[in-house]
Amino acid sequence: MDIKDKITEQPSRFDHLEQMSVAELLEHINEEDLRVAEAVRQVLPQVEALVEAIELRMKRGGRLFYVGAGTSGRLGVLDASELPPTFGVPDTWVQGIIAGGDEALRHAVEHAEDSEEQGWIDLQTYHPTADDTVLGIAASGTTPYVIGAVREARRNGLLTGCITSNPNTPLAQEAEFPIETIVGPEFVTGSSRMKSGTAQKMVLNMISTALMIRMGRVQGNRMVNMQLANDKLIDRGTRMLQESLGLSYEEAQQRLLEAGSVSDCL
């Protein structure tokens, strides 16, 4: 796929950014961000199909792996890392893999994304099975590390999906469930950490939250399995029990701390 064909590399709709006031910069960035939610809305049927397919596998013990490089990889790791404290699930359920490993979370690792073999090699550490899912994340849709991981995962019988910001990419061709959030050129030309990254974060939130709800980790609209990792979460859980059971604050907190989670008290 030639660079001129990538929407993510096309020139910004705005020019002479360095001559704009702060107010103008913020207004125009916000204007561009408004396009993201609509682009995500357009792909809801594809997201739905992917979530339903992953759910079937997770209920058989399957796991979900996000695979990406750079911003895309960091967003995958972020989403995966937030699920255990939020929903009280093991950190093995959803895992983020980034080209270059943990070092790449804070620093760019030179050429880490350029090997088509390394993504699948990195996945082997987790002993993937046919009940697992690999979701490749790459705004360009051409990142070799991600393409190779998705291709080999599919060849080995895993469920595969992807999130890209360009249409008809090599990555989408390898995935069973491609999700293409076409957000248009970035405010700063080629800076896919902006609209493309926002779209990726929105879709990842949808996928993981919907899965956790479908896996029974929410009751009503409450995170009843959250880890009691700090005073704020203990207070939140205490108030949930107060409301649900009609207890005093002190009684509710005592029950919560003894049980370890809201769900175990209900």
Side-chain angles (χ1 to χ4, degrees):
M1 187 176 188
D2 195 276
I3 191 169
K4 65 180 177 62
D5 298 322
K6 297 179 183 179
I7 294 174
T8 52
E9 295 293 335
Q10 290 178 1
S12 171
R13 297 192 307 119
F14 303 89
D15 203 354
H16 306 298
L17 305 185
E18 74 283 0
Q19 297 176 20
M20 293 182 183
S21 67
V22 172
E24 289 172 323
L25 289 170
L26 300 181
E27 180 180 347
H28 293 319
I29 291 172
N30 180 244
E31 182 181 332
E32 288 293 273
D33 285 344
L34 292 175
R35 299 170 179 266
V36 178
E38 177 59 26
V40 171
R41 190 181 72 84
Q42 295 294 326
V43 299
L44 289 181
Q46 291 91 328
V47 178
E48 176 188 5
L50 176 59
V51 169
E52 289 178 343
I54 298 172
E55 179 190 352
L56 292 174
R57 287 159 177 78
M58 289 194 82
K59 287 183 173 176
R60 298 198 297 258
R63 300 161 294 173
L64 171 58
F65 294 97
Y66 299 141
V67 178
T71 296
S72 299
R74 294 182 189 103
L75 287 170
V77 172
L78 171 63
D79 192 75
S81 66
E82 290 177 337
L83 300 182
T86 304
F87 298 104
V89 298
D91 59 12
T92 54
W93 278 28
V94 181
Q95 300 180 60
I97 299 174
I98 183 171
D102 286 352
E103 173 69 14
L105 293 173
R106 293 182 178 273
H107 307 284
V109 177
E110 203 168 332
H111 301 298
E113 65 180 55
D114 295 333
S115 168
E116 283 202 5
E117 294 76 32
Q118 192 60 48
W120 181 245
I121 291 171
D122 290 348
L123 274 164
Q124 295 307 295
T125 304
Y126 302 90
H127 307 290
T129 74
D131 281 332
D132 294 331
T133 301
V134 171
L135 178 60
I137 314 169
S140 67
T142 59
T143 307
Y145 180 89
V146 182
I147 292 171
V150 170
R151 177 189 298 131
E152 289 305 312
R154 190 170 183 178
R155 284 178 179 171
N156 284 272
L158 282 71
L159 182 73
T160 56
C162 71
I163 305 172
T164 76
S165 295
N166 286 306
N168 307 314
T169 63
L171 176 58
Q173 292 169 16
E174 297 292 349
E176 296 166 79
F177 292 87
I179 298 169
E180 299 171 328
T181 55
I182 311 304
V183 296
E186 298 289 358
F187 180 70
V188 175
T189 299
S191 182
S192 57
R193 58 177 284 273
M194 300 188 76
K195 288 191 297 181
S196 294
T198 300
Q200 290 170 353
K201 175 61 174 165
M202 290 175 71
V203 173
L204 290 171
N205 278 348
M206 288 179 172
I207 291 171
S208 59
T209 302
L211 282 171
M212 293 301 101
I213 293 170
R214 299 290 292 178
M215 295 295 290
R217 310 308 292 184
V218 171
Q219 292 182 26
N221 57 18
R222 303 294 182 85
M223 299 178 290
V224 294
N225 291 285
M226 63 186 176
Q227 294 177 0
L228 305 178
N230 55 49
D231 289 343
K232 177 189 72 174
L233 297 180
I234 293 172
D235 177 68
R236 182 186 297 164
T238 299
R239 296 184 186 280
M240 287 184 197
L241 290 180
Q242 267 192 289
E243 182 179 321
S244 298
L245 303 178
L247 303 174
S248 70
Y249 186 91
E250 291 72 21
E251 291 174 316
Q253 186 171 94
Q254 182 177 347
R255 285 201 191 186
L256 176 65
L257 295 175
E258 288 174 353
S261 73
V262 174
S263 63
D264 289 336
C265 296
L266 298 177

